[in-house]
Amino acid sequence: MNQGQQIVIEGIYEVCIGVPEAITAIQYWEQFGYRVGQEGELPAAIAKLLYGVDSPLRSIRLYHQDADHGLIRLMIWQHPTNTGLGMGSMKVKGNRWATTLTTDILNILNHAEEAKAAGYPLRFTHPHWEVIYNKERKSRPFADTMIGVREMLLLQPLARQVLFQRFGYTLPDYGNINIDSPFKTSQFTHMGMVIQDDSKEKLKFYDEVLGLLRVRDDVETSYESSLAGREIFDLQPGEKFFVTAFDDPRSSTTDFMAARSGRLYIIRFPDSMNIDSHFEAAQPGSLGMCLYTYRVRGLNQFSDRIKASPVQQFTTIVENEFGEPSFSFVAPDGYFWTLISN
């Protein structure tokens, strides 16, 4: 986008999570370094206008140190519409999840194992080794520095998380660890979605209309190439997907050290695969991870651009539960979004 027109978008601002009550959710996310910030309410009539949900709403925004992205909004609906994605497969259209950087992934695994043994409802994978950058580089074990990550999936009824720990490298603007948090974790560094579109036409919305920076495109992951990808996305032999990533425009397409968190990962499965659709379980009114937001400068211009694009539906600009001018829309790929005036 032309920043001279003061139309600016940054990294994903919030992951919105529908919860039946606030106290338990706040206690959980405090373990990951979040803290209570703003609180606000909407009557049913305004919630219907902005989110399409005919229910009174109370929301609590959770902050993470001084981060200006990767925050959490807890949404407590008086009348939730459904129980959300829960612990269902990650290989569904409509899927949402959020990823967090940690320096203590084994401690998180310890808690997951103990919770599972105690009968808690959750599903997780063990932390698998993945090489993210310079995949062609061959390291000599016990001689060279190993450069990669350990990443694990943690699914619970109200949270769909991927957690990762880096080894052998750092990215200065991609996740800021709260060293005082019990799990030594950052704000959400990236968020994900699943689509099917061999034409890739639906991807154009995110850079050509929203103005995000496409930093990775068509990176292939297959059952055979990635144990983590296989287990997290329930891949079967011969199955694969492609990854496209959209960043804050201040990021870089050539210098991975300039990468910024707040990234949107879109997992694109081939049209030939039989994948269920659960968009109805991952939109406002649902419990669990149900909405992502962007904060933008020039909200009216964004509204005009989006209305002129091939979106499925859009709302007028109204004040959200925090008194911030906002509007919502359903993108061409079927995902519900809300933009907030910066």
Side-chain angles (χ1 to χ4, degrees):
M1 283 194 177
N2 184 347
Q3 296 195 16
Q5 294 179 312
Q6 295 299 299
I7 303 175
V8 178
I9 190 168
E10 298 177 357
I12 290 181
Y13 183 49
E14 299 165 303
V15 174
C16 301
I17 306 173
V19 296
E21 53 86 21
I23 294 176
T24 303
I26 291 169
Q27 291 173 340
Y28 178 78
W29 291 109
E30 283 177 340
Q31 305 304 300
F32 295 87
Y34 285 90
R35 69 182 190 279
V36 172
Q38 295 167 278
E39 299 187 36
E41 297 183 352
L42 279 185
I46 304 301
K48 178 73 171 176
L49 284 176
L50 183 57
Y51 301 118
V53 183
D54 189 11
S55 169
L57 170 66
R58 173 176 171 242
S59 290
I60 302 170
R61 181 173 283 153
L62 304 184
Y63 290 98
H64 198 285
Q65 302 177 101
D66 61 352
D68 62 359
H69 64 279
L71 309 184
I72 292 174
R73 188 194 309 192
L74 301 177
M75 305 181 82
I76 305 104
W77 297 95
Q78 187 170 315
H79 306 294
T81 56
N82 60 71
T83 57
L85 293 164
M87 296 187 297
S89 173
M90 296 278 282
K91 192 170 62 177
V92 297
K93 290 178 286 188
N95 186 21
R96 297 183 189 266
W97 69 95
T99 303
T100 304
L101 173 67
T102 179
T103 59
D104 201 8
I105 201 163
L106 285 180
N107 185 32
I108 297 169
L109 177 63
N110 291 340
H111 281 262
E113 289 181 339
E114 287 297 304
K116 184 73 171 179
Y120 285 54
L122 81 165
R123 182 162 69 90
F124 64 92
T125 66
H126 280 73
H128 293 297
W129 176 254
E130 283 287 304
V131 176
I132 306 298
Y133 301 102
N134 299 322
K135 288 179 177 288
E136 302 80 15
R137 179 180 179 270
K138 300 299 182 183
S139 297
R140 297 171 300 163
F142 305 108
D144 297 333
T145 299
M146 302 297 288
I147 300 175
V149 301
R150 287 276 175 182
E151 59 182 355
M152 65 177 287
L153 174 69
L154 178 60
L155 295 182
Q156 299 177 80
L158 300 175
R160 298 169 70 82
Q161 297 168 262
V162 173
L163 300 120
F164 74 105
Q165 182 169 348
R166 295 188 186 119
F167 295 88
Y169 76 104
T170 61
L171 294 178
D173 296 317
Y174 204 102
N176 182 20
I177 298 284
N178 183 341
I179 61 173
D180 295 322
S181 63
F183 292 143
K184 305 288 190 293
T185 39
S186 72
Q187 77 275 48
F188 289 136
T189 58
H190 47 279
M191 302 76 183
M193 309 189 312
V194 169
I195 70 169
Q196 283 184 291
D197 179 15
D198 287 349
S199 73
K200 298 174 60 176
E201 285 298 310
K202 294 173 183 176
L203 295 175
K204 294 179 180 179
F205 176 81
Y206 293 98
D207 46 8
E208 295 181 2
V209 178
L210 289 187
L212 298 168
L213 182 67
R214 191 181 301 209
V215 292
R216 301 176 69 189
D217 199 13
D218 266 2
V219 179
E220 181 177 316
T221 297
S222 67
Y223 174 92
E224 291 74 19
S225 69
S226 171
L227 183 57
R230 178 194 311 177
E231 194 167 359
I232 290 173
F233 289 98
D234 300 324
L235 295 180
Q236 302 303 308
E239 291 184 343
K240 62 185 176 181
F241 60 78
F242 302 91
V243 178
T244 299
F246 294 95
D247 272 12
D248 180 322
R250 295 172 295 174
S251 188
S252 172
T253 58
T254 57
D255 180 9
F256 82 92
M257 291 297 292
R260 288 179 173 267
S261 51
R263 175 175 291 178
L264 171 64
Y265 271 108
I266 297 182
I267 306 296
R268 186 172 58 84
F269 283 98
D271 288 338
S272 58
M273 287 181 60
N274 182 21
I275 296 181
D276 290 339
S277 177
H278 290 299
F279 287 106
E280 77 288 345
Q283 59 188 14
S286 306
L287 296 181
M289 292 182 170
C290 57
L291 173 67
Y292 303 143
T293 71
Y294 278 111
R295 194 167 55 166
V296 301
R297 188 177 306 129
L299 190 69
N300 288 311
Q301 293 97 318
F302 269 97
S303 177
D304 292 342
R305 289 176 65 97
I306 287 169
K307 289 176 183 178
S309 74
V311 293
Q312 298 186 24
Q313 62 189 67
F314 55 85
T315 74
T316 57
I317 295 174
V318 299
E319 288 192 353
N320 68 10
E321 54 268 45
F322 304 116
E324 302 159 333
S326 308
F327 74 94
S328 301
F329 58 89
V330 177
D333 55 22
Y335 282 89
F336 194 107
W337 289 90
T338 298
L339 300 191
I340 304 167
S341 179
N342 188 341

